[in-house]
Amino acid sequence: MRSRRKPLPRLVAAIAAIGATAGVITLAAVGSAAANPNTLTTNYLCGMPVITAQTASVVFSDDAPTIFPLGQPTPPIHLTANVTMPANTDEAFDLVAAATAQTSGSLRVTITDGDETIPVSVPLTAPDLSLPQDGSPFTLRLSGVIPSQTLRNAFSGGRFSTGALSINWDLFQAGGVETSLGKFTSSCSVNPPGQDTTLLTWGPQCAAAGGACTSPPSSSTTTSTTTTSTTPVVSTPTIYTTFPSTDTTTLETSPVSDFTTTPTSPTSTTTGEPIVALGYDVNGTSHLKSLNADITVGPGTLTISLNLQTGDFSGPLTLPDNTTSFDLFGFLPGTATVRLIPQGPVTGVFHQGVATADAKETIRLTNVSVLGVPIVSNSTTCQTAAPSDISLASGPNFSVVNGGALTGAYSIGALTGCGGLGQFISAFAQSSGNTILVAVTPIAP
């Protein structure tokens, strides 16, 4: 029985040797089933100004031939990358009233040729793009050319793998005026990790006539060797203030903050930084621990100037007086009218979809009554000796476009200027562990 099976491997080896002698590499497509053009779909996480990093679906395709001559320059490979950005990606663009975009980019391609690794940066271009005004998804159609390569390690096999992607943006308002956001670059990395990033591959060739021959690996068993970005957008999405060179490793970055709001009139500073003015209605409640009472916060307004590059913001908070009822010592009913007097603007930052803010407020009791008897009336002096520091933070995915909730805690220090009963009033007002919950909603332009 053995003698009847021997001719088969000899025949396979002989056929393979013919291919090796002819000096060609047969390429196998991976990703989608199509052989020519090859296609591959990969998800990327792309940093964007102000808003949370966005997950983009990228469909790569190329026109690589199915056979390459060994030891000779390959033809240039035309590559396309259709990048579909998800809904509401243009929230940041709305802040500067962007209507159209000019885009370009670069893609890191790693060619693994046997034991040799060849990194290639592929410049990408794209036609002008009209941005949707309804928050719907949109697609960038980037294209470029993988330059000619000479593949020499046919006996080991190899692959073309996609890696880090950068997208350059230049936004324009209706009428062609460049927005205050200026030129910036979104840095994109493969996310989640572990996706197949192999665009095309070739398998080991037969060693020589009469030797063993191994079939090319299937796409299901291909192991990607893509080199990922050294600065993944997952942890620190970035924004570039200038267009990059074709080598994305030389880019200098500054942090991008994530946040989302309704646009008002965009402005810019004399230094050229992209600044927009935004307005919010503020409503909420605060729990006073020592009095076990809740007081209304608002309705008020918060107006901020937001730096679209850094995410820093600052602006005035205006709140009305509000009156709360309480039971002193648990059984003496009373009322107090509270006024918050800002000591400077509210400051904060929007980063990775989270808003943090800090407000310093002097807390004044303009009126206090116990058992219906006024003990403070129309006071302009009965207030905390030092401002209270109120720190606020949002949950994840806070939106500058849609607003959201912020929570915080603060202390009330000793009071002064409250008259003859000042020590008594200070004793029941002073406390730590007071909490606050406010909702901010954008003011319609």
Side-chain angles (χ1 to χ4, degrees):
M1 295 200 36
R2 269 188 227 165
S3 61
R4 280 183 296 202
R5 297 175 63 180
K6 285 182 179 178
L8 181 58
R10 290 177 182 168
L11 177 60
V12 172
I15 294 173
I18 296 173
T21 303
V24 297
I25 299 174
T26 301
L27 297 177
V30 297
S32 299
N36 191 13
N38 306 310
T39 60
L40 172 73
T41 300
T42 308
N43 288 330
Y44 280 76
L45 194 67
C46 298
M48 298 295 290
V50 183
I51 64 173
T52 308
Q54 300 291 297
T55 298
S57 175
V58 184
V59 179
F60 296 103
S61 61
D62 68 80
D63 63 353
T66 57
I67 295 178
F68 282 167
L70 287 180
Q72 299 180 28
T74 67
I77 299 174
H78 294 86
L79 176 74
T80 62
N82 289 331
V83 183
T84 299
M85 305 300 296
N88 299 320
T89 299
D90 58 347
E91 285 181 345
F93 303 163
D94 289 343
L95 297 176
V96 291
T100 60
Q102 293 179 359
T103 59
S104 62
S106 63
L107 175 70
R108 183 57 56 88
V109 173
T110 299
I111 302 173
T112 305
D113 185 18
D115 295 331
E116 183 181 4
T117 300
I118 307 170
V120 178
S121 185
V122 181
L124 303 172
T125 60
D128 291 354
L129 175 70
S130 294
L131 296 170
Q133 302 301 303
D134 58 357
S136 59
F138 59 93
T139 299
L140 307 177
R141 306 190 184 280
L142 300 165
S143 61
V145 177
I146 302 175
S148 176
Q149 305 291 325
T150 300
L151 306 176
R152 304 180 185 278
N153 299 306
F155 300 118
S156 300
R159 62 180 55 83
F160 281 57
S161 301
T162 58
L165 171 69
S166 64
I167 303 173
N168 309 318
W169 303 84
D170 195 4
L171 306 180
F172 296 86
Q173 298 176 354
V177 178
E178 188 178 44
T179 70
S180 60
L181 189 57
K183 298 179 175 67
F184 66 95
T185 297
S186 296
S187 178
C188 307
S189 61
V190 175
N191 186 263
Q195 298 177 74
D196 184 10
T197 58
T198 307
L199 183 59
L200 51 86
T201 184
W202 64 91
Q205 305 297 301
C206 301
C213 183
T214 304
S215 298
S218 65
S219 60
S220 61
T221 59
T222 299
T223 301
S224 171
T225 58
T226 301
T227 302
T228 57
S229 173
T230 58
T231 307
V233 181
V234 179
S235 57
T236 54
T238 54
I239 178 173
Y240 303 97
T241 56
T242 58
F243 278 97
S245 64
T246 56
D247 183 356
T248 58
T249 61
T250 63
L251 293 173
E252 294 186 2
T253 67
S254 57
V256 171
S257 41
D258 294 330
F259 174 74
T260 333
T261 328
T262 297
T264 58
S265 300
T267 60
S268 62
T269 64
T270 56
T271 60
E273 294 179 330
I275 305 296
V276 293
L278 305 170
Y280 299 90
D281 290 321
V282 179
N283 290 278
T285 59
S286 177
H287 183 74
L288 305 179
K289 187 176 180 180
S290 63
L291 298 177
N292 192 28
D294 292 325
I295 185 170
T296 300
V297 177
T301 58
L302 173 64
T303 303
I304 64 170
S305 294
L306 168 64
N307 187 312
L308 294 178
Q309 283 186 355
T310 66
D312 295 328
F313 66 87
S314 65
L317 171 65
T318 302
L319 293 169
D321 295 354
N322 278 296
T323 300
T324 184
S325 299
F326 58 88
D327 290 322
L328 190 61
F329 308 124
F331 62 91
L332 297 177
T335 61
T337 301
V338 180
R339 177 177 298 170
L340 298 180
I341 304 172
Q343 304 300 303
V346 175
T347 59
V349 65
F350 302 123
H351 182 68
Q352 296 289 318
V354 174
T356 56
D358 185 80
K360 291 178 172 57
E361 304 280 343
T362 293
I363 299 174
R364 178 178 295 172
L365 301 181
T366 59
N367 296 280
V368 179
S369 296
V370 177
L371 292 173
V373 178
I375 57 177
V376 173
S377 296
N378 299 319
S379 176
T380 59
T381 59
C382 184
Q383 61 191 38
T384 53
S388 293
D389 190 355
I390 304 175
S391 297
L392 297 166
S394 74
N397 301 319
F398 186 92
S399 168
V400 291
V401 172
N402 301 314
L406 299 101
T407 59
Y410 63 98
S411 298
I412 299 176
L415 273 64
T416 186
C418 298
L421 295 176
Q423 289 186 339
F424 170 74
I425 297 170
S426 181
F428 76 73
Q430 189 173 354
S431 61
S432 60
N434 305 294
T435 59
I436 185 171
L437 168 65
V438 295
V440 296
T441 54
I443 297 174

